[in-house]
Amino acid sequence: MSQSKSSRREALRAQQEAEVRAAKRKKVLSIVAGVVVIVVAAVAVFVGVDRHRSAQQAQSAVTGSQVVPPNADPKTGIYTVNADTAKSGVPTLTIYEDYQCPNCKNAENAFGPSIRQLASSGDIKLQYWTLTFLDGSQGDNSYRAAMAAASAAMIGKLESYHKTIYDNQPEEGVGFTDDQLRNTFAKDAGITGSDLTKFQKYYDTRATSDFVKNAAAKGLAEGSRLDNQFGTPFFTVNGKPYTGWQSITNPTPAALLASIKSAA
C-alpha cells in the first residue's frame, strides 16, 4: 500500500515536472518565434527600403544622350543670354549663382529686372555660371534645378525659367520637387506644347547632367581663383571681380550700367 502511494506520488511529481518543462519549452518557442518575426520584418523593411532606393536611383539615372544648351560654352558651362543681340564692345557681366542660394534670390529680386533690361537693349553681354555647391547634406536640389534650367535653355527658355526658379525658391533645406521643376515651373515659364514635351524629356533622362556637373566644377574653381572667400552671388565684369553692384541703393538700369562701365 505504502509502495503504491509512493509510486503515485512519484508519478504525480514526474507529471508536474513534465508540465513545467513543456511550459518552458512553449515559452522559449514563443520568444524564438517572436524574434524570427522581428528579424523577418526587419529584413522585409530593409529590402523594401533598398528596392525603393534602387527605384529612385533608377528613376534619376542618366539615360539620355548628353547635350549642351545652344547658348552655352561647352568648355566652361557659361551661358551667354544675348550673344546675338549685345552691341559691339559692351562690357560682359557674368553672374555666378546657385539656385538654392538665398542671397542669389535677393540679388535677382533687386537687380534682375535692370540686368535683363540692359541685356535686352544690348548694353551689356549677360552671362550666367550655374554652380551646385550647396548640394550635399541637403540632397541634389541645386543639381536638379540646374538641369531643369539647362533643359529650358535647350528650347530657348532659359531666362523665363531662370526667373521662375528664383520666384519660387523654397526655404533652405526644403528643396525643389521634381513635380515643380518639370511641371509647375515649366508652365509658369511659358513652356507649353511640343516644347514642354522636349523640355520634360531632357529633364527626365538627365540629358544635361554632364553639362551641369562640368559647369559647376569649372565655375567653383574659377570663382575660388578670383576670390579666396568666394561665395554666391558673385559678379564679374570682363572676367574681373565686380563688387560695385553691392553699393547701388537704387538699382535702375542707368545706375547699374554706369557702375558696370566704371568696372570694365
Side-chain angles (χ1 to χ4, degrees), residues 26-42:
K26 185 177 180 181
K27 184 176 181 181
V28 169
L29 288 173
S30 297
I31 294 172
V32 170
V35 171
V36 170
V37 169
I38 293 171
V39 170
V40 170

Side-chain angles (χ1 to χ4, degrees), residues 51-198:
R51 285 178 178 172
H52 179 65
R53 186 184 298 114
S54 298
Q56 285 185 318
Q57 290 172 343
Q59 190 176 24
S60 63
V62 176
T63 59
S65 299
Q66 295 301 287
V67 296
V68 175
N71 61 340
D73 183 340
K75 293 183 179 179
T76 62
I78 298 174
Y79 295 104
T80 301
V81 174
N82 60 338
D84 297 332
T85 58
K87 299 173 184 176
S88 177
V90 298
T92 298
L93 175 67
T94 305
I95 303 175
Y96 295 65
E97 59 185 358
D98 185 311
Y99 285 121
Q100 283 196 106
C101 165
N103 286 332
C104 293
K105 174 180 171 61
N106 294 337
E108 166 66 22
N109 290 344
F111 292 88
S114 292
I115 289 173
R116 283 188 290 275
Q117 185 171 328
L118 293 176
S120 178
S121 64
D123 289 312
I124 63 169
K125 182 183 288 186
L126 175 60
Q127 296 182 333
Y128 295 128
W129 208 339
T130 309
L131 280 63
T132 60
F133 68 94
L134 289 179
D135 278 345
S137 60
Q138 296 184 24
D140 61 352
N141 293 288
S142 296
Y143 165 70
R144 289 184 298 107
M147 280 199 302
S151 298
M154 289 297 299
I155 57 171
K157 290 287 189 177
L158 174 63
E159 273 290 77
S160 58
Y161 196 89
H162 177 276
K163 181 178 183 300
T164 299
I165 292 178
Y166 282 123
D167 285 346
N168 296 277
Q169 186 189 75
E171 295 180 6
E172 285 189 87
V174 175
F176 305 98
T177 68
D178 282 325
D179 182 60
Q180 286 177 315
L181 292 171
R182 75 185 300 277
N183 296 316
T184 309
F185 293 177
K187 179 182 177 181
D188 292 347
I191 302 174
T192 59
S194 61
D195 279 345
L196 177 61
T197 301
K198 293 175 185 176

